[in-house]
């Protein structure tokens, strides 16, 4: 717990992307401890892989690692569960991009399509709408973990095995329904989401590459 509190203090000082420069004595003031305790906290965070440090005559240069950020995101989500109702909608905004073309193939496979129809309540258009999220929405994406997910099970055919995934129902505009589809194995980074819908969304909403769109996760 002490390590998490120290990590949180570092994030409050610099955010999650900057380099922090100070001495152990200065950090001791931030966490209200002795310089010896502050030094041990920093060593412990470094050993856990939550920060990187470079020490020079002027002091220490510290950066929070990806692993450190994930720890803080987990803490944030737990507090969010305490203070936020699961029914609170999540808005994710981004711009339309051209995908890899895999969505059209996979959605038409019977083992997936039957599950979409049964679990989501619609027959999906054979293709996905790919959205590259804006910075603020990338930060909000972990909040999907607060929502009830719809599990799409993997299955096997005579020739190959298909992986599973999960879906989150959404709305676009005033009345269009759909779902964010997140395969267990995906080629896309975390700043891209795939949307399935009973509509050809590009045509229905007159969307082109770089068009901005907001989806609401219910």
């Amino acid at each position: 717990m002490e390590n998490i509190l120290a990590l949180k203090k570092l994030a409050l000082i610099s955010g999650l992307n900057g380099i922090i420069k100070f001495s152990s004595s200065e950090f001791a003031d931030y966490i209200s401890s002795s310089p010896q305790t502050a030094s041990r906290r920093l060593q412990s965070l470094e050993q856990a892989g939550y920060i990187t440090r470079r020490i020079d005559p002027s002091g220490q240069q510290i950066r929070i690692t990806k692993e450190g950020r994930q720890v803080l995101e987990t803490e944030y989500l737990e507090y969010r569960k305490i203070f936020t109702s699961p029914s609170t909608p999540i808005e994710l905004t981004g711009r339309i991009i051209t995908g890899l073309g895999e969505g059209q193939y996979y959605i038409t496979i019977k083992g997936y399509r039957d599950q979409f129809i049964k679990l989501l309540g619609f027959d999906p258009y054979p293709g996905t709408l790919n959205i590259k999220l804006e910075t603020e929405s990338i930060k909000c994406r972990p909040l999907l973990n607060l929502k009830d997910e719809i599990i799409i099970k993997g299955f096997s055919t005579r020739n190959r095995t298909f992986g599973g995934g999960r879906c989150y129902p959404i709305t676009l505009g005033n009345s269009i329904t759909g779902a964010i589809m997140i395969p267990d194995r995906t080629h896309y980074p975390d700043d891209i989401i795939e949307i399935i819908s009973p509509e050809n969304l590009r045509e229905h909403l007159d969307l082109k590459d770089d068009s901005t769109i907001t989806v609401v996760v219910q």
Side-chain angles (χ1 to χ4, degrees), residues 2 16-17 25 41 49 57 62 66 76 86 90 97 118 125 128 140 149 157 164 172-173 193 201 203-204 217:
E2 289 81 3
L16 291 171
N17 301 313
S25 296
R41 292 280 178 270
I62 296 171
K66 179 180 179 181
Y76 169 70
I90 300 169
I97 62 170
K118 178 181 178 180
Y125 172 80
T128 61
C140 291
E149 59 188 21
T157 64
L172 302 92
I193 57 174
L201 294 174
E203 292 185 1
H204 194 82
V217 187

Side-chain angles (χ1 to χ4, degrees), residues 9-212:
K9 287 291 187 180
L10 290 173
L12 288 170
I13 294 168
S14 70
L16 291 171
N17 301 313
I19 295 176
I20 313 156
K21 297 180 180 180
F22 52 54
S23 66
S24 294
S25 296
E26 290 172 323
F27 186 55
D29 292 336
Y30 284 119
I31 64 174
S32 302
S33 73
S34 68
Q36 294 80 9
T37 298
S39 180
R40 287 196 297 270
R41 292 280 178 270
L42 293 173
Q43 289 174 9
S44 183
L45 290 173
E46 184 178 27
Q47 290 169 358
Y50 298 156
I51 65 171
T52 59
R53 289 197 299 167
R54 191 177 75 182
I55 301 175
D56 56 38
S58 64
Q60 304 183 58
Q61 296 187 25
I62 296 171
R63 184 187 295 274
I64 296 175
T65 64
K66 179 180 179 181
E67 290 75 16
R69 182 188 183 101
Q70 289 173 343
V71 167
L72 291 173
E73 285 181 347
T74 298
E75 285 287 299
Y76 169 70
L77 289 174
E78 289 179 353
Y79 279 110
R80 181 90 181 205
K81 287 180 181 179
I82 294 172
F83 293 108
T84 303
S85 168
S87 62
T88 302
I90 300 169
E91 293 189 358
L92 299 175
T93 300
R95 58 183 179 83
I96 305 302
I97 62 170
T98 298
L100 300 175
E102 295 180 344
Q104 180 174 358
Y105 169 69
Y106 284 106
I107 288 174
T108 57
I109 295 173
K110 179 175 173 56
Y112 287 130
R113 182 165 173 260
D114 288 349
Q115 292 187 74
F116 292 143
I117 294 172
K118 178 181 178 180
L119 298 175
L120 298 176
F122 61 80
D123 188 357
Y125 172 80
T128 61
L129 185 71
N130 298 275
I131 302 173
K132 185 175 179 63
L133 298 176
E134 296 179 347
T135 301
E136 289 304 312
S137 289
I138 295 171
K139 296 176 182 177
C140 291
R141 178 171 174 159
L143 297 178
L144 291 176
N145 294 325
L146 299 176
K147 297 295 185 179
D148 292 331
E149 59 188 21
I150 296 173
I151 300 297
I152 304 299
K153 296 181 179 179
F155 57 92
S156 297
T157 64
R158 183 176 301 177
N159 299 319
R160 62 172 292 185
T161 297
F162 294 88
R166 61 192 190 278
C167 291
Y168 298 92
I170 63 167
T171 57
L172 302 92
N174 295 324
S175 59
I176 301 175
T177 60
I180 296 174
M181 181 181 68
I182 305 178
D184 291 337
R185 294 173 291 183
T186 178
H187 298 294
Y188 288 120
D190 289 342
D191 63 344
I192 295 176
I193 57 174
E194 289 185 278
I195 305 299
I196 60 175
S197 171
E199 308 284 350
N200 180 340
L201 294 174
R202 280 184 177 259
E203 292 185 1
H204 194 82
L205 298 175
D206 192 25
L207 298 171
K208 300 177 177 62
D209 280 1
D210 287 328
S211 295
T212 299

